[in-house]
Amino acid sequence: MEQNINPATYREIVFFTGAGMSAESGVPTYRGKGGIWGSYSIDEYACQEAFDRNPEKVLGFHEKRRKSVLDCQPHEGHSVVAVLPNAKVVTQNIDGMHQRAGSKDVIELHGSLWRLRCQSCGFRKEDLAESYETTRCDCGDRLRPDIIWFGDMLDAVVMSKASQAIRNCDLFVSIGTSGTVWPAAGFPDLAKQSGAYCIEINPEPSGASEYDRVIVGNAGEVLPELFSES
Ligand code: APR
């Protein structure tokens, strides 16, 4: 590759990832060819109103996603990110792939497929099984997937942790996001304004002007090469 990155020359690296990061593992992206929102309507599966109308249908959709994600494995790109001691991951992904690859410092902006949350008392429950153990809280109300659906507010604490990590980093690597969903879409600009060197890795780059370097390619191929020592 034209110019490899030596991670030791950076104080703190933030990998900002979207669905494209997991594409080579077999997890479908949301938009574009084969995208989830091409087959499933957001109004029926990915908003609070849908859950209120038909919780079983929405839970069934998320159970199906859990099962399909468990059939997928993290790829080499996830491993490259996971072994860097000075790296944080800020991800829009809910699939838990970074953690399965061994990343310890993962900020999940849009929640997780592997957690449920009580709508009434706010209790959060980790549930890593293919099928939900229970979808009832001890308080009696329903548990819903602890995911940021369309129309939901992002968790303020998570958002603040993510912004802080991005403000502090000196290398920002955006991977596999269309950059269409806010507020995450504003992170490349925040990184640039904060003085980080900004790289985008995507087979179909976003066209955003913040990036100092754009690498056209797939995460699983580009990352191992970009961070290799030779
Ligand atoms: N490597 C890198 N990037 C890839 C790869 C790959 N192998 N394959 C596809 N991509 C890129 C696509 O070109 C596209 O730019 O990944 C991006 C996926 O875009 P989206 O499907 O829009 O996913 P994302 O940006 O993560 O969506 C943001 O939208 O629906 C919500 O909450 C959901 O977190 C999600 C958010």
Side-chain angles (χ1 to χ4, degrees), residues 18-20 24 30-31 37 92 110 150 176-178 181 202-203 218-219:
E24 287 148 278
Y30 292 99
R31 298 169 184 81
W37 302 143
Q92 296 167 87
H110 295 167
F150 289 85
T177 177
S178 57
V181 173
N202 198 315
N218 293 328

Side-chain angles (χ1 to χ4, degrees), residues 157-204:
V157 174
V158 173
M159 188 62 192
S160 143
K161 273 191 194 162
S163 312
Q164 202 182 335
I166 291 164
R167 269 193 227 102
N168 284 343
C169 75
D170 49 356
L171 176 63
F172 178 87
V173 187
S174 167
I175 309 165
T177 177
S178 57
T180 50
V181 173
W182 290 82
F187 284 163
D189 185 51
L190 178 62
K192 188 75 203 152
Q193 297 300 326
S194 310
Y197 184 73
C198 297
I199 299 179
E200 177 177 29
I201 301 173
N202 198 315
E204 293 173 48

Side-chain angles (χ1 to χ4, degrees), residues 4 7 20 31 65 69 81 85 88-89 95 97 115 124 135 141 152 159 165 168 170 175 188 194-196 211 214-215:
N4 289 4
R31 298 169 184 81
R65 290 211 59 200
V69 166
V81 170
K88 284 188 198 313
V89 175
D95 57 23
M97 283 293 182
R115 269 194 326 267
R124 283 189 160 85
T135 52
D141 201 357
D152 290 346
M159 188 62 192
N168 284 343
D170 49 356
I175 309 165
S194 310
Y211 295 107
V214 174
I215 304 174

